[in-house]
Every structure is written in structure tokens, then in C-alpha cells.
Amino acid sequence: MTHGGGGGEYKDLVVFLAAAGVVVPLFNRLKISPVLGFLAAGVLLGPDGLARFADTVPWLAWLTISDANQLRALSELGVAFLLFMIGLELSWERLKAMRRLVFGLGLTQVLFCTVGLAALFMAMGQTLVSSAVLGLGLALSSTAVVMPVMAERGRLGGAAGRTIFSVLLAQDLAVAPILITVTVLAALAQGGVTGGGDFDPAVLGTALFTLIPAAIGLALLVVLGRLVLRPLFRSVAKARAKGQGQEMFVAACLLVVVGAGLGAQAAGLSMSLGALVAGLLLAETEFRRAVEVSIEPFKGLLLGVFFVGVGIGLDVDAVAADPVAVFGLAIGLTLFKAMMIYGAARLWGVKNKTAIETALVLGPAGEFAFVILGAGLVEGIASPDFTRTVMLAATISIFTVPLMAMFADRLTRQDAAVLPDLPAEALEPPSVEGQVLIVGFGRVGRLVGEMLTEHGQSFVAVDANASTVAKGRGEGSNVFYGDAGQADLLARCGIEKARAMVVTMDAPAKVDEVVVAARSLRPDLILIARARDSRHAERLYRLGVTDAVPETTEASLQLAENTLVDLGVPMGLVLASIHERRDRFRKLFQDAMPDGEAARRPRALRSTLKR
């Protein structure tokens, strides 16, 4: 293996990590999309950038990426992780709710862009088959670039964001059929449809026969996923609960993403499609939120590798040799494709401003263009020189995605309040606004949930015991597996929109950890926690709980209440004295809080829960 002048076996990976540590904070400070930073870093640090001077300036070998192949596999994993996370947020129900835009608008967009671009390339002198391959490749957009850019701008939850996602999902589903179509086109070309030879139908039949393994592979992924995923994560979660497998949960997440991706590849599908299916399957399980928290760091880092890889793929010398042709083609293709997408969106009833934003963001080419056009070159049906020029133009167009999103955002900002074009089920994950978040769903947590339900209050619960979660979900409760001491998990469970949070665990140290995490996210949240004793209750008030309920005190009050009632004391007098004594204890505990504010919070709690 060569390394362009030295630097060690893992030098290129170290250079990428160093660039990531500099690029992301710098571009965030400048309020510029980090995606642009990674793309620029790929151009600057790649073989066509500073690395070309490594022979004359040896120390540059330590600061540049000389072997792009080292990062290529990791970049493919980045796209797979992105699709996996999308699958986790999607679920089969939301996919069904979005079917009109996915299979209607999405497939119409692919058809419109393919036909329109193919006609444009034929007008430029390309053959029918070559034009068809070029049209198929450029009809797709970049999921890996568009989704993070839209998320950064906070646009995913609106009409345009979900419309864009629906189209991208349809494009991802179309990759495998498009690759098979390229094979069919090669068979037609070799069989004489574009030449003078005799066409052999057997060649076309063989090409179409390759669809069968893809369909079987997809079905196996779904069946095996439903049979294996939940038992796998339950087993790992049980080991984790005993302190024996904290790292194994992360390993299981990685196994699912990589395994599903490789399984899809073996069936002739894309790795990202396999990861998407795995995410859809896990979205139906109680481990969904914990998996999201475990995968998120890997997704962000590996997507950074992908963006750097795109930048490395830009041949600066080739662009400099004919900049007018390359940039002109990039601009022309992007605008032409945007017009096709706008027309398709309007045809399917998307509102005007939403259609404009969708068209602008999806106008640039995508990463699968290189796969499809590369397949066309291998099959010998695309003009090599012209195709390489198109691939350069496609790379440059990908660079424009953040700029197009910025322009589209400004153009449509005044329509932010317009109702989305999608059904409610397709917009966000099930809303937790107004719900109570219960941490710990054992005996106490289940009783709290039952009482909330009895009084018309909805709740979502989280517990770190896989068996407890399975039992709760079996009873129909909305329970997820995870460690509530992680602020990221609380955020995934909707703490930002929750009305109140009840911590019912019987481990004092863990209760403290959860309270601290919750207060760091929501200083204003109504927070009720179970305390071991009066000393623990005082500590919880210092940590900022709204109300702490010590077990020993409550047990004593309950015993006293039952005794007095059994002795014949009137129930009204007993309840009044019990409430008076409870308020006295609460005041003593709350005196531990420096600001004295908690004395007013229980009343606010009761009024809130009555709403």
C-alpha cells in the first residue's frame, strides 16, 4: 500500500479526524454548513490538492490524504448509517402514510428527470442508450448531503422537508432497479438495438432475471429482522443491566447496520437500502430510542468521511482544463433538473413555494450518480470522455446543495406557517407534547401510569430493564428501553415537550443522575422524584426537583392514616391531619433549596395536571 510519501498506515484517517475537529467548530462559528467545510477539506487535502506537492515538500504528506481508497469504505458506511437513522424515525406506519408522495411524486420525479435529461443529452449528440444511462444517473439527488443540510436549517419538520424526504426515499428505492436497467440497456446495445447486430432476447431475459435475487434478499431481510432483532437486543440489554455489556449494546447496533447493509449488497441491492430496512424494523421495538443515542456519533463522523470523499473525487486539473464546459454543464443540469422536479411536484398537488424549495434543493446530482455512470462506463455503453465531464459537473453540483438550501430557505421563509402538504402521520414521530414522562416502569411506575390514564393524562415511559419494558409493552403501554441518565435519550423521548416528569426508580444515585440530566434540558419542567428517605429528599430538592416523595415518610403517613381510620376517627379529620403533616415535611425538605422557590411548585404541579 502506498501512502504518498509516508505517514503510516492510518495517516489518512488521522488527517480526516484532525480536519473534522477543526472544520465543524470553525464552520459552526461562521454559521456556514459544516457539509461545505468537509467538501472543501476533501478538495484541499486530497491527491489533487496539497497532496500533489508532497514529493517536493515531504512534510505535507503528514497533513494530506494521499489514498482516497482508505476512506471510501467508511464513507459508504456513513450513508448507510444515515438511512438507518431515517428508518428509525420513519416506521412502517409513517411510510404507509407517506406512500402517495413516495411512490407517486418520488417515482414521477425519477421518470420526468430521466426522460428530460436523456432528451437533453441526445440533443447534445449522445446515443440513445448513452443518454438513457446519463439521465438515470443524474435523475437522483444526494440523500447524504441534503438530509443533514435540511436538518441544520430546521426544515425537516415542515412541508418542504417531508416532501424532499419522500422524493429521496423513492430515489433510494429506485437505485437497484436503475442499476438493473443499465445492465438491460447494455444487453440491448450489445444485441444490436443501437447497432446493426441481431438482438438476442435471452440476454435481456438474463438481465431481468437478476431482479429475483434482489426481491428474495429484501424479503429475507424483513423476515429475519422481525425474528432476530428484538431477541438480540433483549439479550444484550439484560447483560447491560448487570453491568456486563455496556459496550455490547453499541456493538449490536453496529452489527445490525453493517450486517443489513452487507446482506442487501449480496442480494444486489444498495447497502443503504438494507440499513433503511433494518431501521424500519427496529423503529417498531422498545429499543428504538436507545439505538438512536448509540448510533448518532457514528453517523455524524462517517458522514463527514463521505463528504470529504466527495471533495477528494473532484479532479481539479480536469476542471481547470475546461472550466467553462464543466461549470456550464453543472449549472445547466441543475437548473433543468430543478424545473423537472418543480413540474412533478405541482402535478402531485404540492403548494407552489414548497415545490420551489423542493426543486432547488434536489436539483443538484447525488452520490449514486457516480455508481450508475461508473456502471455505464464498465458496460461500455457511455461515452468515456463526455461521461467523465458529466461526473465532474455532478460533483460540483453537489457542492451547491447547502447554497441552494440557503437560497430556498430565504425565498420561502414567509410561508413557514403554511400547513404541510403531508398527512399528519407522516410529519413527525408521534407527538409527546402534553404527555408525562415516567422514568422507571416497575411496580411504582406502572401504578403512576395507571393513575394518569384513569384521569385522562397520557404518558410515555422509559426503563433500563429489558424484561420490564417487554412486560409494559405487552400490556399496551408506551414504554421504551434506555438509560434515562443520558440527556440525549431524554431528548429523544420528548422531554422538551413533556408537561411533567416522574422519576420512580428505587436507586438513589440513579435518581440523582436522571434529575440532573432532566434539569440540564428543561429548567422549567415539573419534576417529581421518588426519594429513599428524608435525607435523599433534601438532596433532590437541592438538585432542583419540583417535588420529592420519600418512601419512609409516605409509608409512615399511610400507616398512621389506616390506624386512625380503623380506630374510628372521622375520615375527614384524618385526611386533613395527614395532608398537614405531609406539607410540614415538604416544607422542611424544600428549605434545603437556596432560592426557596420550590414551596410554590407543588401547587403549580396540581394545577398543571388538572388542565
Side-chain angles (χ1 to χ4, degrees), residues 12-28 34-35 37-42 45 63 65 71 297 299-308:
D12 288 345
L13 189 56
V14 172
V15 171
F16 161 74
L17 293 173
V22 173
V23 166
V24 175
L26 176 62
F27 275 67
N28 280 335
V35 172
F38 281 122
L39 292 170
L45 303 177
L63 303 177
I65 298 172
L71 302 180
K299 184 204 76 173
L301 190 61
L302 291 173
L303 273 179
V305 179
F306 169 78
F307 299 139
V308 170

Side-chain angles (χ1 to χ4, degrees), residues 108-123:
T108 300
Q109 175 271 322
V110 173
L111 179 62
F112 275 23
C113 290
T114 299
V115 174
L117 290 169
L120 183 64
F121 286 124
M122 288 185 66

Side-chain angles (χ1 to χ4, degrees), residues 33-35 82 142-165 168 307 354 356-362 401-402 404-409 412:
S33 171
V35 172
L82 173 66
S142 178
T143 302
V145 179
V146 170
M147 292 299 289
V149 167
M150 294 295 288
E152 288 166 15
R153 307 196 67 82
R155 303 290 290 176
L156 283 180
R162 292 303 167 176
T163 304
I164 289 169
F165 170 71
L168 288 172
F307 299 139
T354 301
I356 292 175
E357 184 173 359
T358 301
L360 289 174
V361 175
L362 296 180
V401 170
M404 298 289 273
M406 185 186 308
F407 177 66
D409 191 10
T412 59

Side-chain angles (χ1 to χ4, degrees), residues 257-312:
V257 178
V258 178
L262 293 178
Q265 275 189 333
L269 302 166
S270 69
M271 188 175 190
S272 57
L273 182 58
L276 174 69
V277 172
L280 285 168
L281 293 172
L282 269 176
E284 309 298 329
T285 72
E286 60 269 33
F287 302 102
R288 168 184 179 182
R289 299 305 182 190
V291 170
E292 286 175 340
V293 173
S294 300
I295 289 293
E296 183 66 34
F298 296 97
K299 184 204 76 173
L301 190 61
L302 291 173
L303 273 179
V305 179
F306 169 78
F307 299 139
V308 170
V310 172
I312 290 175

Side-chain angles (χ1 to χ4, degrees), residues 491-515:
R492 294 280 181 181
C493 290
I495 191 173
E496 289 296 331
K497 297 181 180 179
R499 289 170 61 194
M501 176 172 164
V502 185
V503 185
T504 70
M505 297 178 296
D506 60 357
K510 196 64 183 178
V511 172
D512 296 352
E513 183 182 341
V514 173
V515 168

Side-chain angles (χ1 to χ4, degrees), residues 291-563:
V291 170
E292 286 175 340
V293 173
S294 300
I295 289 293
E296 183 66 34
F298 296 97
K299 184 204 76 173
L301 190 61
L302 291 173
L303 273 179
V305 179
F306 169 78
F307 299 139
V308 170
V310 172
I312 290 175
L314 182 63
D315 189 338
V316 179
D317 291 337
V319 174
D322 194 359
V324 175
V326 174
F327 281 98
L329 188 59
I331 295 171
L333 291 177
T334 300
L335 293 179
F336 184 82
K337 182 179 172 184
M339 289 191 298
M340 294 290 102
I341 296 174
Y342 174 81
R346 294 294 289 158
L347 180 65
W348 281 92
V350 177
K351 292 182 176 66
N352 185 55
K353 290 293 179 67
T354 301
I356 292 175
E357 184 173 359
T358 301
L360 289 174
V361 175
L362 296 180
E367 60 274 3
F368 287 119
F370 309 118
V371 177
I372 295 166
L373 298 185
L377 285 173
V378 170
E379 297 287 353
I381 56 176
S383 170
D385 293 336
F386 186 77
T387 301
R388 291 189 183 96
T389 302
V390 171
M391 292 173 77
L392 285 174
T395 303
I396 291 174
S397 73
I398 291 177
F399 277 67
T400 68
V401 170
L403 301 177
M404 298 289 273
M406 185 186 308
F407 177 66
D409 191 10
R410 291 179 179 178
L411 189 64
T412 59
R413 186 172 296 167
Q414 63 269 31
D415 274 16
V418 173
L419 291 176
D421 298 303
L422 298 178
E425 307 93 311
L427 294 176
E428 294 292 338
S431 175
V432 294
E433 188 170 2
Q435 290 188 336
V436 176
L437 178 57
I438 300 176
V439 177
F441 206 64
R443 175 179 49 85
V444 176
R446 278 203 307 278
L447 180 58
V448 171
E450 290 171 3
M451 294 299 295
L452 287 170
T453 302
E454 185 175 328
H455 290 275
Q457 308 295 323
S458 59
F459 70 89
V460 58
V462 59
D463 197 288
N465 186 301
S467 299
T468 300
V469 173
K471 182 178 180 181
R473 291 179 75 89
E475 296 171 350
S477 299
N478 190 20
V479 193
F480 292 99
Y481 169 82
D483 179 5
Q486 297 177 297
D488 288 343
L489 183 77
L490 291 177
R492 294 280 181 181
C493 290
I495 191 173
E496 289 296 331
K497 297 181 180 179
R499 289 170 61 194
M501 176 172 164
V502 185
V503 185
T504 70
M505 297 178 296
D506 60 357
K510 196 64 183 178
V511 172
D512 296 352
E513 183 182 341
V514 173
V515 168
V516 170
R519 274 287 171 247
S520 69
L521 296 173
R522 282 282 305 275
D524 62 326
L525 179 68
I526 295 171
L527 181 53
I528 310 97
R530 174 183 177 182
R532 175 64 58 84
D533 49 32
S534 59
R535 186 173 300 176
H536 185 209
E538 292 175 2
R539 186 166 77 247
L540 287 174
Y541 278 114
R542 285 195 295 271
L543 292 176
V545 298
T546 306
D547 210 352
V549 182
E551 297 175 4
T552 52
T553 303
E554 285 300 316
S556 301
L557 292 174
Q558 187 65 47
L559 286 170
E561 177 184 334
N562 291 347
T563 301

Side-chain angles (χ1 to χ4, degrees), residues 68-117:
N69 291 326
Q70 277 196 333
L71 302 180
R72 189 161 291 122
L74 289 177
S75 67
E76 189 175 2
L77 276 178
V79 180
F81 273 73
L82 173 66
L83 268 293
F84 178 74
M85 293 292 285
I86 290 173
L88 283 176
E89 283 298 325
L90 191 60
S91 81
W92 294 108
E93 284 74 17
R94 291 179 65 208
L95 180 60
K96 182 180 178 181
M98 296 165 64
R99 64 186 181 277
R100 179 175 174 271
L101 286 179
V102 173
F103 300 108
L105 171 58
L107 296 183
T108 300
Q109 175 271 322
V110 173
L111 179 62
F112 275 23
C113 290
T114 299
V115 174
L117 290 169

